Each structure stands twice: as C-alpha cells, then as structure tokens.
Amino acid sequence: AACVAATRAVGGLILGKTVTTEFATYHPGKTSNPHNLHYTPGGSSSGSAAAVASNMVPLAFGTQTAGSVIRPAAFCGIVGYKPSFGMISRAGVKVLAESLDTVGMFARTVADAAMFAAALTGRSNLAISENSSVCHMRIGICRTYEWDNALPETDAAINTAQRLLEHAGAKVFDISLHRDFSLLAQAQTEIMAYEAARSFSYEYNAHLNKISPELIEMIKAGYLIDPECYDAHQRLAQQCRILFADMFSEVDLIIAPSTPGESPYGKEKTGNPVFNRIWTLLGVPCIHIPFMRGPNELPVGVQTIGKFGSDARTLNISNLVFKILNKS
C-alpha cells in the first residue's frame, strides 16, 4: 500500500501486519481487548488498536468505512484519527466501499497522530502548534439523531467533557443537526452495502464457500439496493456536507459520542458503529479522545469532529481537548 511505502520513505520501521476483521467488515479476527481479554477490541482495525493500546507499537494504520478507526480506538482507550476523506492515499488498499474508505491511524496522543499524518502526507501544518489556547474556543456538543443508543457511560463522558472544557475557558454549548441528518446513518449503511457488493463481486462469485455468512449477507443486501436509491443517498450526503460546513461559522469544533458505551462483552461481534456512520459519510476529520472508564473499568471517551479539509485546525484543537480531559 502507498501509505506503507510513504512510512518507509520518511524513516518509519514497519514491524508487521496486524489482524483485521474479514475484508474490513464484521467477521472478527482473534484479537482481544488489551484491557480485558474477554471483550472485543472493536473492528475492523482491531489488531492495530490493540497493538498501540498494549504498547507493542507507538503508531499503527487503520481504515474506516463506517466506524473502523474511531470505534477500536474508543474500546482500546487510545487516540484514533480518521482524516478528511482522501487525504491519505488508498492506493494498494483493498477496496470495500469506494466513496467511504478512509485510511486513518492510531496513536497514544493526538500530537503523535498529527506528527505521523504530517510525515506521511508532507503537510507540515498538520503537526501540533503549541501556541494554541482553548480560551474563547467555541465547542458544540452534538448528541446526534442516534442518541437513543447511548449508554450511561457515554452520557457521563459527554457531560464530563463539557464541564472540564468550560472550566478551562472554552465556550461550550449544545448544537442540533438539520433534520436531513436523521437519514444519514441509514444512507451510509446502504451506500456501504451497495458498493461492497460490487467490490467483492469476485470473492462472492468465485469463492463463496470461503467468505463468512456476515459478508454474504451484506453482499446480498447490497445487490438488492436499487441504483436510484443509491444515487438518492449520495445526493442527500452532498446536501448534508454543505449544511455541515456552514455550521462552522458558529463553532470551531464539534464533540459527539464515539460509541454507545464501553466495549461490549465477548468477541463474536465488534460493536455498533452507529455513532460513526454519519461522519464517515460526510468525509470530515474525526478524532477519538480517551479519558474515562466505564462500569466494567473499560475505556470511554468522546469524538471530536471538524470541517472537511480543516484537519490541521481539528488536530490542534483536539490536542488541547485531549490535554484538558486527561488532566482530570
């Protein structure tokens, strides 16, 4: 993959390939959550998140099509960074969904993730500036239309983040999304299935007996989606991208849930990406900030979201958020 070649080109040492779920979808691999081996590390980038969380490596790659960077980062208690769509080359990466797949990364601090992204892309402005201050920052709390899925620990994380940021001098307030955003999670699900069915046509037609029931179900669902429905979902996404960009005249950063709660028990499933789908579809930069523990002493945090293409600003403000929340 081009991102691996770019890492070597800037002096990075590639230690190996980490476990992923099957074709970056839902069938889990063998990886466990480093905080408790009976719990899932999330997916699809399960091995990368676990490797960083257990101090095997300082940095690792992941990809996100629904929630495959932010969710494993949240469950494993580390920083996950999904850049703006297309910022890191996907050349050489197996395609799952052409309009959604995004190369991202895991680190133990926001500054490390920013340094890695800057080195890979040649965008020196992505590196953290220590001159920033959270004072006078406008931070919007967005519980999203999927809030009914939030467990008490996620509610507590959002409320705690708001309190600590206000105490540090930020202006923090609730924001609401336009009603069209209520349709985005379903749109992302169907776009992903539609594109996956076509991406995996060879595997489905030539090696059906070698792929999991979960992947077969997704491919079948994708083939049942009408092209007109797919096109309508894409038009909706484009409309919402414009609406979302306009929101940043009033806020500098948005905070939203990363996951419904801490990692669920068992390793048969990788958790619910419900709080990640809409942001991936919008293509905007997202960063998971770990800072709390849930009822089973597993990590919990929040997700920061920025305007498309504003990765440098999003990383810099998120670094301040990371420092403030982890002082507590």
Side-chain angles (χ1 to χ4, degrees):
C3 58
V4 177
T7 303
R8 289 194 174 101
V10 295
L13 302 177
I14 306 298
L15 298 187
K17 169 126 178 19
T18 55
V19 172
T20 72
T21 63
E22 177 194 37
F23 291 114
T25 57
Y26 300 116
H27 188 71
K30 297 178 180 180
T31 310
S32 297
N33 191 313
H35 296 273
N36 188 318
L37 300 182
H38 298 293
Y39 289 77
T40 179
S44 61
S45 310
S46 48
S48 290
V52 173
S54 59
N55 294 317
M56 294 181 184
V57 294
L59 302 163
F61 282 114
T63 61
Q64 180 155 312
T65 306
S68 293
V69 169
I70 299 300
R71 190 166 81 262
F75 288 168
C76 293
I78 56 173
V79 169
Y81 168 40
K82 183 200 79 66
S84 292
F85 179 77
M87 195 181 81
I88 297 176
S89 173
R90 296 179 298 168
V93 178
K94 171 68 176 176
V95 175
L96 167 54
E98 186 65 41
S99 69
L100 299 170
D101 294 351
T102 308
V103 175
M105 59 194 60
F106 300 95
R108 286 189 283 277
T109 67
V110 175
D112 282 356
M115 176 274 297
F116 189 22
L120 279 177
T121 62
R123 297 171 180 266
S124 58
N125 66 325
L126 294 179
I128 297 301
S129 167
E130 297 300 333
N131 297 324
S132 303
S133 169
V134 77
C135 289
H136 311 301
M137 287 292 180
R138 303 167 302 166
I139 298 177
I141 301 293
C142 182
R143 288 174 172 80
T144 78
Y145 286 102
E146 290 68 51
W147 183 250
D148 286 349
N149 294 277
L151 298 173
E153 58 265 33
T154 287
D155 186 36
I158 291 287
N159 292 333
T160 301
Q162 180 166 1
R163 175 175 54 81
L164 292 173
L165 290 166
E166 286 176 337
H167 183 73
K171 182 181 179 182
V172 187
F173 49 92
D174 289 339
I175 60 169
S176 299
L177 298 170
H178 188 278
R179 62 181 179 274
D180 286 354
F181 285 72
S182 66
L183 306 173
L184 280 185
Q186 184 62 30
Q188 188 278 339
T189 302
E190 295 192 6
I191 288 170
M192 180 175 168
Y194 180 94
E195 294 183 356
R198 284 133 187 96
S199 296
F200 297 133
S201 58
Y202 169 74
E203 290 81 5
Y204 183 74
N205 290 305
H207 297 289
L208 186 64
N209 63 330
K210 294 182 179 179
I211 59 179
S212 70
E214 294 98 324
L215 183 54
I216 291 171
E217 182 180 351
M218 175 193 280
I219 292 170
K220 286 181 175 179
Y223 279 128
L224 291 174
I225 297 168
D226 291 332
E228 293 80 7
C229 179
Y230 170 82
D231 292 344
H233 287 327
Q234 291 286 20
R235 287 193 297 272
L236 171 68
Q238 186 55 35
Q239 292 166 10
C240 288
R241 289 180 190 118
I242 295 169
L243 292 169
F244 189 68
D246 289 343
M247 294 176 68
F248 285 86
S249 63
E250 300 177 359
V251 299
D252 299 301
L253 188 77
I254 289 172
I255 286 180
S258 292
T259 58
E262 63 182 2
S263 172
Y265 181 82
K267 296 189 290 181
E268 297 77 21
K269 303 288 184 181
T270 60
N272 189 346
V274 64
F275 285 115
N276 316 124
R277 290 186 183 277
I278 69 169
W279 311 119
T280 307
L281 182 54
L282 294 174
V284 293
C286 304
I287 302 166
H288 175 72
I289 309 292
F291 70 102
M292 285 182 63
R293 295 276 173 164
N296 295 307
E297 286 302 310
L298 293 169
V300 180
V302 295
Q303 178 176 196
T304 59
I305 301 120
K307 184 179 180 180
F308 178 81
S310 69
D311 291 62
R313 183 166 175 76
T314 303
L315 284 162
N316 268 280
I317 303 174
S318 297
N319 180 57
L320 294 172
V321 172
F322 176 85
K323 289 181 175 180
I324 291 164
L325 298 187
N326 284 283
K327 278 182 182 177
S328 60

